[in-house]
Each structure stands twice: as C-alpha cells, then as structure tokens.
Amino acid sequence: MGKVGIIGVGQSAFVRGYPGSIRELAFEGFRECMLDANITTKDIDASVICSAPEYDKQRSPAGVFAEYFGLTPQPTFYVESLCSSSSMGVRLAYSLVKSGLHDVVAVVGFQKMSEISSAESQERMGRGADIQWESPFGTMMPAYYAMYARAHMAQYGTTSDDLALIRVKAATYGQINEKAVYRKQVTFEMFSDPESPMSNPVASPLRVGDCCANADGSSCIIVASEEKAKALCKKPVWILGLGAASTAVNMAGRELFTGLIVGEQAGDQAYKMAGITPKDIDVAEVHDCFTIAEMMAYENLGFAKPGEGKDLIKSKETYKEGSIPVNVDGGLLSKGHPIGATGGSQIRTIVLQLRGEAGEMQVKDPEIGLVHNIGGVGLYGNVTILGR
Amino acid sequence: MAQKKKEVDDRFKKFGTVTFTSITKINDFIDKLEQGKVMGTRCKECGRVFFPPRADCYQCLKSDMEWFEVTGKGKLVSYSKLEFAPVGFGDDLPYAIALLDYGDYKVFGRIADNVPENEIEVGMEMETVVNTLPNGQLNYVFQKA
C-alpha cells in the first residue's frame, strides 16, 4: 500500500462578519488551495465538506458547494465532529484514498459564525455538550474549560499568570499572520489591567484574554494517493500518522479533569502509526480554543510531563525559536476559530512549515509536524502527524 | 368514532432554567425531584450504577432499571463561576457550575447561591439537594456538607 499525501492547502482570511454567503466563504479557501495545488477540478474524484451544522441555514451544504466549486458529478458528502470536523474530514479522505476508492479528495471546512449573536453562539456551542443533563444548568464552552483550568490549578499549582503567557505567545504570531482575525499585541500586563478587556472575567478562572475569538472562515486540504501526489505535486507532504478518539459527553462520565483524554489517546495512536515519539516533532499546531487547552495539549501530547506544561511556556520553549514551537501562526486564540475550518487551517500551517513556505512564521527546517484538533469539550480528539 | 388524543409525557421539561429535552424514558426523575430526591438508576441485571440516570444499560443491553438516591457527601472535582451566560440564563447570573465525585458516580450541577465563592475549594465535601428555581423549574445544587 502506498503513502497518502497532501498536495494542496488553502484558507480564507479569518474575519468577523464575512460579507458573503457560506458558498462564497468556502470558495475562498477552495480557490487558494486549487491555486496552491495547481490542478483542475477534473483531477479531484470526491469532496468532503466539514462544519458544525447548527450555524447554517442551508441544509446539506455538500451538494451546494460541489456545484459552486465545479466538483459535480463527483461524489460529495458531509462530515461533522464539532470543532475537529475538518481533521476528521482529512482522516476520512485518507481512508478513501488508502482504500483505493478515490485518488484525489478535497476536504473543505467552513464556518460562518457571525450570523448569530455571541450569546446565541454560546448557547449553540454549549449544546455541543449534554443537552439533557448539563445544558439546563446554563453551561457554555468557556465554563467547561474553566473547570479543567481550575482542576489543573488545584492539582499542579498552575496559575492564571501561566495561562496568560500562552495568550501573549499566540498574539505575538497573530500579529504576523495576515490570515488572523486578531492582529493586535497582547501583553502580560493587560491581564491585570482593569481597563483592558483582556482582564474581564468570563467564567472563573478564565478571562477574556484566555478565550479564542469567534470568526468566519474556510479551509481546504487536497489529499492524494502516492502515485498522484508524485505526479501532480513538487513538494507533497505525507500523512505519517492519524489518531482519533471520543469520550463521555457529560462531565459526570469522565475520569480525567487535568487533561483531555481524547487528545492523549489520539496522540498515542498517531505516534504509534508514524513510529515516532514526541521528541521527534519539530513544529506543532494544538487546539488552543482556550489558554488552558494549549497547556493541557503540551502534557497530553508528551511535550511536557503532566503538570509541567507551565514550565514549557515560562521558558518560551513553545515559541518559534524554542525546542517545540507550538501555534506559531497565532493559534485559535489570535488566528480565530471558525469551527469547521479550524482543523484544515491547522494542517495548512504545518504543511507550509514543512515545505519551508511559512514566511515570517517559519521555524528552522522542520521535518515532522503535528496537528492536534479537539471537538467540543474534549468530546472528540484528532491528531495528525505530517512529514516531508 | 373520534380517536382518543394521545397523552404526551413531557414531565422532563421542568428540568433546569431552560430545558432542551421534554420527552425521555426516565421522566420519573422529575417526580423524584418533586419529592425532594435526586436519583440515579441501577441496572437490575448487572448492577451497574448510572448518574445521570439512564433507561438503558450498555453493559448488558437490558432496560430494566431501579432508582437509587444520591445521598451523603461528594468531593468537589472542579467548578467555575460564570460572569456571562447563554441565552435564557442571564437572570441566573452569577452562578457556578460544578462536579461532585461520589466514588461510584459523579454529579454535575450548580453550587448553591448561598455558598460564598471564597469558601469554595476543590476537594471539599458537599451534598446534592433539590432546588426550585425562581421561574418554578427544578434542578439540584451543591451545599457545603
């Protein structure tokens, strides 16, 4: 069986209030990807469309997009796993190609979140948790992650200051990523400045600065068989490892509250499949929907021992020049988090890094990169390991 | 002859400030709440204990459950006090969501409004009690044990 490669990547700018419809938004990521791959729609056998559906008025967007992209009559269908939808789409594309059913598959992720208010958005996001037993208590995503933050603090002595450092890092790179929704600097001092919105409490112990920004955006990844990848692409990036896991939707059904078990399980699977260890990762994108989520990812992925994630950020080892650069494109915190587009955007960043095409964000000569993408409050976990 | 109108058992709509589910096979949970009891289910076949309660056992695939009462003290696993709320919950602010560990099972709910935040500590012992919300709806909250 041959390898499976990525031959094209693209994403729209992540913005607030995209001035167009979902098909037009999705086309932006698709077009950039097609120009990157330098192929035609005839080269693509199938498309997989990914989003979290509760934001869309359009039912079954796959068919609508396929027509808009010129990808009919090829098969197209929809994949959903909340915030990890497009990583799950790439996992599916891998299996479609590996099975020999298709040779070249386009995975398009999108989300237009701005059509509803922030409070409505929190309510819908909260409904990604257990609507029968937890949502009636008034839950929302920041509060769930805040419970993980509180447990991590109680167990390991992690502080709000440690978490603030993660946001400061994200903003460092958000400023140089032209695709990012939040391009401004965030300083450590802002978190203790009552005049700064960053210091406003959201759900204790998390503050505004600990939370990612909602955004509209799209991404596209083209996955191909080894034969097609070599024929169509000068610098294919190979999928070396894949991992995916799920856990209890409700907090009451879980055991671990200082980390996301699905991130750990998906990571272990992906490392095993790739035949590597965490030390082999040269650059990573992790799911930092909240600062605590990045801290837990360091530990769940083996970049730090449990409880020692704070040392990694304090010593700046996850900055571009450090031993394990993480989210040097601004992450979800500054780049923005258009749910269905996020996994594809993370994969795009790592592919550009491995090709040496990440511009100002480029880390030095990486050979292996990792993408960690979580759906819901650690309900779904996907890890994808890529190599040159 | 006119068909008799089918009665809908939607008791569960009384659960929580805003509910998103009204029809479930464990609607008796609401009657128990009205009697001041928070209850989970235990599979009569294999003995597996479930909280939140469920109608079906995935371990032995049977649907023959008995109720048990959540009693005694649980340990506070974690909590968060919300300063913003989803649509429909704004009047409840500020409130804290939390998780108690009873050993055999865990209970997710809110911390009672009368527990000052500076007295809340991870690991502390708390009890689960039924609570009537200002809008007449029912839920349960955690009190200091």
Side-chain angles (χ1 to χ4, degrees), chain A residues 213-284:
Chain A
N214 287 348
D216 298 342
S218 65
S219 63
C220 181
I221 303 294
I222 295 175
V223 174
S225 64
E226 181 170 2
E227 190 188 333
K228 285 282 186 184
K230 285 178 173 166
L232 294 170
C233 181
K234 285 197 189 87
K235 284 191 202 170
V237 164
W238 305 104
I239 298 175
L240 306 180
L242 290 164
S246 64
T247 191
V249 65
N250 48 48
M251 296 297 110
R254 298 186 183 188
E255 297 299 327
L256 181 68
F257 297 94
T258 52
L260 299 180
I261 191 71
V262 293
E264 192 176 308
Q265 291 165 336
D268 287 348
Q269 291 170 28
Y271 287 133
K272 193 177 170 199
M273 179 173 165
I276 62 165
T277 70
K279 285 191 172 55
D280 298 316
I281 303 298
D282 300 315
V283 58

Side-chain angles (χ1 to χ4, degrees), chain A residues 24-365:
Chain A
E24 293 156 357
L25 173 61
F27 191 76
E28 300 215 11
F30 175 72
R31 171 168 47 203
E32 189 179 278
C33 186
M34 291 297 283
L35 292 171
D36 177 59
N38 194 25
I39 60 174
T40 71
T41 50
K42 287 195 177 56
D43 294 313
I44 297 175
D45 308 324
S47 57
V48 177
I49 310 298
C50 318
S51 77
E54 61 269 33
Y55 294 90
D56 307 328
K57 292 196 169 63
Q58 176 70 55
R59 287 192 65 202
S60 199
V64 178
F65 288 8
E67 186 279 330
Y68 199 71
F69 298 168
L71 288 177
T72 52
Q74 298 98 309
T76 183
F77 53 94
Y78 188 76
V79 165
E80 188 269 336
S81 60
L82 295 168
C83 323
S84 66
S85 295
S86 45
S87 283
M88 200 64 93
V90 167
R91 179 181 174 87
L92 181 75
Y94 177 94
S95 68
L96 290 172
V97 168
K98 193 83 177 171
S99 70
L101 196 59
H102 295 299
D103 290 319
V104 181
V105 178
V107 180
V108 177
F110 77 100
Q111 208 76 58
K112 188 169 179 230
M113 300 174 74
S114 63
E115 291 194 310
I116 55 178
S117 72
S118 183
E120 281 180 300
S121 163
Q122 288 301 341
E123 189 261 346
R124 277 170 179 69
M125 291 291 276
R127 279 198 274 139
D130 185 335
I131 64 148
Q132 185 169 357
W133 294 105
E134 294 184 354
S135 304
F137 286 101
T139 61
M140 57 178 187
M141 287 289 149
Y144 280 118
Y145 274 95
M147 288 177 70
Y148 277 87
R150 176 88 62 200
H152 202 275
M153 289 173 174
Q155 173 99 25
Y156 298 122
T158 306
T159 65
S160 290
D161 285 352
D162 298 334
L163 297 182
L165 293 175
I166 286 176
R167 181 57 200 261
V168 171
K169 172 174 72 71
T172 301
Y173 300 111
Q175 289 172 83
I176 56 172
N177 184 350
E178 60 180 21
K179 302 284 193 182
V181 66
Y182 195 87
R183 305 289 308 274
K184 290 183 249 173
Q185 188 187 26
V186 176
T187 64
F188 181 73
E189 289 69 31
M190 287 178 183
F191 281 83
S192 52
D193 176 3
E195 298 293 308
S196 168
M198 291 293 158
S199 69
N200 289 345
V202 174
S204 71
L206 298 183
R207 300 169 282 189
V208 169
D210 291 300
C211 307
C212 67
N214 287 348
D216 298 342
S218 65
S219 63
C220 181
I221 303 294
I222 295 175
V223 174
S225 64
E226 181 170 2
E227 190 188 333
K228 285 282 186 184
K230 285 178 173 166
L232 294 170
C233 181
K234 285 197 189 87
K235 284 191 202 170
V237 164
W238 305 104
I239 298 175
L240 306 180
L242 290 164
S246 64
T247 191
V249 65
N250 48 48
M251 296 297 110
R254 298 186 183 188
E255 297 299 327
L256 181 68
F257 297 94
T258 52
L260 299 180
I261 191 71
V262 293
E264 192 176 308
Q265 291 165 336
D268 287 348
Q269 291 170 28
Y271 287 133
K272 193 177 170 199
M273 179 173 165
I276 62 165
T277 70
K279 285 191 172 55
D280 298 316
I281 303 298
D282 300 315
V283 58
E285 283 280 295
V286 309
H287 195 89
D288 58 333
C289 49
F290 300 95
T291 50
I292 181 62
E294 178 166 325
M295 178 80 72
M296 293 192 293
Y298 293 166
E299 299 171 8
N300 294 149
L301 293 167
F303 301 157
K305 291 188 180 129
E308 295 180 3
K310 56 182 179 297
D311 304 325
L312 212 54
I313 185 65
K314 280 184 190 165
S315 59
K316 294 198 163 187
E317 292 295 345
T318 48
Y319 275 70
K320 199 174 82 178
E321 300 77 14
S323 58
I324 174 67
V326 174
N327 294 348
V328 294
D329 62 353
L332 283 57
L333 287 165
S334 276
K335 190 177 59 177
H337 183 25
I339 306 171
T342 289
S345 169
Q346 292 176 302
I347 289 170
R348 169 182 174 271
T349 289
I350 295 299
V351 167
L352 294 179
Q353 286 283 352
L354 295 174
R355 287 189 199 156
E357 296 171 1
E360 266 192 276
M361 294 172 277
Q362 183 66 48
V363 308
K364 193 166 174 283
D365 203 29

